[in-house]
Amino acid sequence: MSLTRRTLLAAGGGGLLIAQVRSANAQAENVPKPATGNNALRIAMPAFASDPFFPADGSGDKGIDMELARGIAAELGVEPVFDRSAVTFDGMVKQLMSGQADMAIGKLSRTLQRGRSILYSRPYAMLHQGLLANRLNLARITQGKPPEQIIRDFSGDLGVIEDSSFATYAATTFPHAQIRRFAGWNTVVDAIRSGMIDMAYRDDFEIKKLMVDDPSMTVVARSITLTDKVDTIAIGVRPDNPHLAAFVDLYLDLARGQQVLNTDEIIARYRQGSKA
């Protein structure tokens, strides 16, 4: 039986439909995926603790940053794999630059210097910058004047954590200060206690948290909030994956309701965790 022209057209239309479906499936398979590497999301996070953002390596999975990391991985349908080998904040940035990690979540401050090398999400926390001053040294420096009048021209010893955002900020915010770099926050605080340095430079949350943990610090030190200076906390993304960076922003918008935490909210969560 010979095929009619109508039959041929119908058969041709069916073949065209099948070809279109195959083409669409092939295109879908070739669409770049936000996550990379064996159905896992490799997340850089420091080895040390920064409550209530993240615990020390091996100390559990609670914290603001842990929740973010697991939430993003769940929405991507992949497993979060944590790399806790970074001993500094800049160490996480280097892991992104080298491709060892897909994301860095660990109270990571946004800086222009880091922004030249990695991608950032929009901020999920916004803190003020702050100072922790040794009371005796501050009295000697100010000589009765309000601290606010001498802060910007401060030329004494200023302590910062090595490879932190504040080590970067210090040179421009306090150009006349003698910058002293320390391995960690505890050693900076010890230097304030002993009077080895005049002031320490960090975000106001960490300084207020210190006062919560150790009220005796108020005897030897006072906190100063720089209300015109902010420290924005965001998620770092490896520079060759803009799709993942866009997805993280979408997650912060839709799943987190564009919430940007402030110091008071984070301190409240920290107090609640301390009582648990």
Side-chain angles (χ1 to χ4, degrees):
M1 181 178 174
S2 62
L3 294 174
T4 65
R5 186 169 183 271
R6 183 174 181 179
T7 302
L8 285 171
L9 287 173
L16 178 61
L17 180 60
I18 292 171
Q20 289 175 336
V21 170
R22 287 176 177 171
S23 176
N25 288 339
Q27 289 176 3
E29 291 174 359
N30 291 329
V31 169
K33 301 296 190 296
T36 60
N38 298 323
N39 202 39
L41 188 65
R42 299 169 301 166
I43 301 166
M45 185 175 284
F48 53 85
S50 182
D51 295 330
F53 288 91
F54 53 89
D57 187 16
S59 299
D61 59 359
K62 293 183 179 179
I64 295 167
D65 289 341
M66 278 290 188
E67 292 168 5
L68 274 175
R70 295 189 182 282
I72 292 168
E75 290 297 334
L76 288 170
V78 297
E79 286 297 319
V81 177
F82 293 93
D83 184 338
R84 303 297 302 270
S85 61
V87 295
T88 66
F89 294 102
D90 278 350
M92 292 190 293
V93 174
K94 291 175 182 176
Q95 287 177 298
L96 294 177
M97 293 168 59
S98 66
Q100 293 175 273
D102 302 311
M103 292 195 323
I105 307 181
K107 198 172 177 279
L108 185 66
S109 298
R110 298 192 306 172
T111 70
L112 293 175
Q113 182 175 346
R114 290 172 178 169
R116 296 199 301 245
S117 305
I118 65 171
L119 301 174
Y120 274 115
S121 73
R122 63 193 56 187
Y124 62 90
M126 185 172 295
L127 313 173
H128 283 293
Q129 296 181 17
L131 296 166
L132 181 69
N134 177 282
R135 284 189 179 274
L136 291 178
N137 292 6
L138 184 63
R140 171 179 50 80
I141 293 167
T142 58
Q143 296 182 349
K145 298 177 182 178
E148 293 76 13
Q149 291 184 11
I150 58 90
I151 288 301
R152 294 306 184 205
D153 295 323
F154 173 66
S155 59
D157 291 320
L158 182 70
V160 296
I161 300 173
E162 183 70 71
D163 288 335
S164 69
S165 59
F166 288 88
T168 301
Y169 298 149
T172 52
T173 307
F174 301 101
H176 307 298
Q178 308 303 309
I179 309 301
R180 302 282 299 277
R181 291 173 169 78
F182 294 84
W185 180 232
N186 288 339
T187 53
V188 176
V189 173
D190 288 343
I192 286 290
R193 280 187 181 276
S194 67
M196 180 190 301
I197 59 175
D198 303 312
M199 293 196 291
Y201 188 29
R202 206 176 180 188
D203 64 74
D204 67 335
F205 163 70
E206 291 293 344
I207 293 171
K208 290 179 180 179
K209 184 174 81 170
L210 175 65
M211 300 301 191
V212 171
D213 290 341
D214 185 3
S216 70
M217 278 298 298
T218 59
V219 177
V220 297
R222 63 163 291 184
S223 64
I224 301 170
T225 298
L226 305 179
T227 55
D228 62 332
K229 295 286 185 180
V230 296
D231 181 31
T232 52
I233 308 300
I235 296 169
V237 179
R238 57 185 291 177
D240 61 348
N241 200 337
H243 189 181
L244 178 58
F247 183 87
V248 172
D249 274 346
L250 189 65
Y251 177 84
L252 293 174
D253 282 350
L254 301 184
R256 305 281 294 188
Q258 296 182 326
Q259 181 185 24
V260 179
L261 298 170
N262 60 38
T263 297
D264 290 340
E265 291 169 328
I266 300 169
I267 280 287
R269 174 158 176 167
Y270 179 70
R271 287 181 183 275
Q272 183 179 14
S274 298
K275 294 176 182 177

